[in-house]
């Protein structure tokens, strides 16, 4: 027999030592456990990516082969959609989170020892599959936490992913100051990841046995196995939202240097401005969601990103450009957290598909901007970024967002 706590179902597999059913963790405990998963993913990814130069030297790789490594990770994550959907149904988000996180620790150890490029490619592809699994499972945990307690938290959870990336960069800097050994670095990182995973495990929400009432995919209008129009709209919003994020990270420095003619010391500030504004906005966005609702936050934010970047492209100059980039970080910050919440409410298949479309956008976005820049110029490429944010705004009007909750953020 299942017990229900505000939309979260306690599966029969979780028991106390004395044989009774385990209670749902408190909001605070579950919040920190889920945040540990987001931090885990950012830290793991940041760790191995930060050592790409060392891996390139050890394996004697060319620039094209390094590009293939990065592509293999993203391709593995994007292609994991059918597997993730099946594992979510079979294991639930809690067990899948733990299993995929453990797999990422193993992959990190393998990357420290691979002797040649083919094995490195295989390890990185496996990393992408495990990333796809953990990404869906941890976002399902975050959405379930919001449903269970009627509080907004997803944007702050996504901010901890950025915190994990920052922590990985700092650890890399500290370890390389002592030793150049990649195995030593990855051993320290693996130990920290296991500590994070151990701290997360007790507070994760129990396995959900069924989709919340009224949230499942509409059965009469679609064949089994085919996504509904609403799910595809969510995937479109996620894809173009990640196009905006990924393209800004990859092209902002080049735009400042080659088009705006910013000094070499100023050009890297493009990425810094976008990243800092996105982190700050994600720390605040849950309060915006509570006050105005997810739909208004996504529509307004993506419109601010599109308008700010478009005005910066028209005005030119270093300061207007940096202000426009700040608008992109501010406006795009809450798009993916809100879309994840909406997709999770429609079941594991919808969440897995939307996550895969987001990964595809993250992969395809920078390449698409590069194609436009090559065919026209980089200003036109950045205009395509503004257009992608505008597409998110238009799509957001058609998505049935979760109703605004009056409960305060805790």
């Amino acid at each position: 027999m299942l017990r229900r706590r505000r939309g979260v179902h306690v599966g029969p597999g979780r028991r106390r030592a004395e044989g009774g059913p385990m209670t749902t963790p408190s909001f605070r405990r579950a919040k920190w456990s889920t945040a540990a998963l987001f931090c885990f993913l950012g830290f793991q990814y940041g760790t191995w990516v930060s050592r790409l130069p060392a891996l390139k030297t050890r394996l004697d790789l060319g620039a094209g082969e390094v590009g293939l490594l990065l592509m293999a990770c993203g391709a593995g994550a994007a292609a994991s959609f059918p597997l993730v959907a099946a594992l979510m149904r079979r294991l639930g988000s809690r067990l899948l989170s733990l299993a995929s996180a453990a797999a990422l620790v193993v992959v990190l150890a393998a990357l420290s020892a691979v002797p040649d490029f083919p094995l490195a490619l295989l390890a990185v592809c496996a990393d992408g599959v495990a990333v796809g699994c953990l990404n869906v499972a941890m976002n399902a945990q975050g959405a379930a936490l919001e449903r269970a307690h009627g509080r907004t938290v997803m944007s702050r959870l996504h901010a901890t992913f950025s915190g994990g990336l920052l922590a990985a960069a700092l650890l890399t800097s500290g370890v390389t100051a002592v030793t150049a050994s990649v195995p030593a670095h990855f051993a320290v990182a693996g130990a920290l990841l296991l500590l994070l995973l151990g701290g997360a495990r007790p507070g994760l929400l129990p396995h959900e046995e069924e989709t919340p009432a009224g949230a499942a995919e509409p059965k009469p209008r679609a064949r089994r196995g085919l996504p509904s129009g609403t799910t595809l709209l969510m995937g479109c919003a996620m894809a173009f939202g990640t196009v905006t994020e990924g393209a800004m990270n990859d092209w902002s420095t080049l735009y400042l240097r080659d088009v705006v003619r910013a000094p070499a010391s100023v050009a890297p500030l493009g990425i810094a401005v976008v990243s800092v504004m996105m982190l700050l906005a994600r720390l605040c966005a849950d309060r915006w969601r509570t006050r105005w609702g997810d739909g208004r936050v996504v529509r307004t934010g993506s419109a601010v990103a599109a308008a700010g970047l478009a005005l910066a492209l028209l005005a030119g100059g270093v300061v207007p450009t940096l202000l426009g980039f700040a608008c992109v970080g501010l406006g795009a910050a809450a798009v993916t957290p809100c879309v994840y919440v909406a997709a999770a409410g429609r079941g594991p298949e919808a969440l897995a598909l939307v996550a895969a479309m987001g990964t595809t956008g993250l992969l395809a976005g920078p390449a698409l901007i590069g194609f436009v820049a090559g065919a026209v110029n980089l200003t036109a490429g950045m205009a395509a970024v503004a257009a992608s944010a505008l597409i998110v705004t238009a799509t957001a009007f058609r998505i049935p967002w979760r109703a605004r909750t009056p409960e305060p953020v805790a």
Side-chain angles (χ1 to χ4, degrees), residues 4 7 9 147 208-217 219 344-349:
R4 186 187 299 264
H9 304 273
R147 287 197 305 271
E208 290 188 304
E209 296 293 331
E210 60 186 66
T211 307
E217 290 279 3
K219 298 292 189 295
R346 302 186 70 82
E349 289 84 1

Side-chain angles (χ1 to χ4, degrees), residues 168-335:
L170 293 175
L171 178 67
T172 300
S173 178
V175 170
T176 52
V178 177
T179 175
S181 170
V182 173
H185 176 198
F186 284 8
V188 173
L192 293 175
L193 287 170
L194 289 174
L195 286 175
L196 268 177
L197 186 58
R201 181 180 175 275
L204 295 178
L205 292 173
H207 169 50
E208 290 188 304
E209 296 293 331
E210 60 186 66
T211 307
E217 290 279 3
K219 298 292 189 295
R221 298 185 56 188
R223 296 178 184 176
R224 181 176 176 81
L226 295 178
S228 69
T230 299
T231 298
L232 292 176
L233 282 171
M234 292 177 181
C236 180
M238 180 68 82
F240 282 100
T242 54
V243 164
T244 304
E245 288 187 37
M248 291 303 299
N249 289 333
D250 285 18
W251 290 101
S252 58
T253 299
L254 285 174
Y255 180 81
L256 278 165
R257 188 191 70 186
D258 296 344
V259 178
V260 180
R261 304 297 180 185
S265 60
V266 174
L269 291 180
I271 294 177
V273 166
V274 174
S275 300
V276 169
M277 288 303 297
M278 186 165 287
L279 177 60
L280 293 176
R282 282 180 171 168
L283 291 174
C284 300
D286 287 317
R287 295 189 181 275
W288 304 339
R289 295 172 58 213
T290 299
R291 183 170 183 179
W292 294 302
D294 290 7
R296 183 179 295 183
V297 168
V298 172
R299 291 190 297 267
T300 304
S302 53
V304 166
L309 183 55
L311 290 173
L313 297 178
L314 291 173
V318 173
V319 174
T321 298
L322 290 176
L323 289 175
F325 288 179
C327 288
V328 175
L330 174 66
V335 170

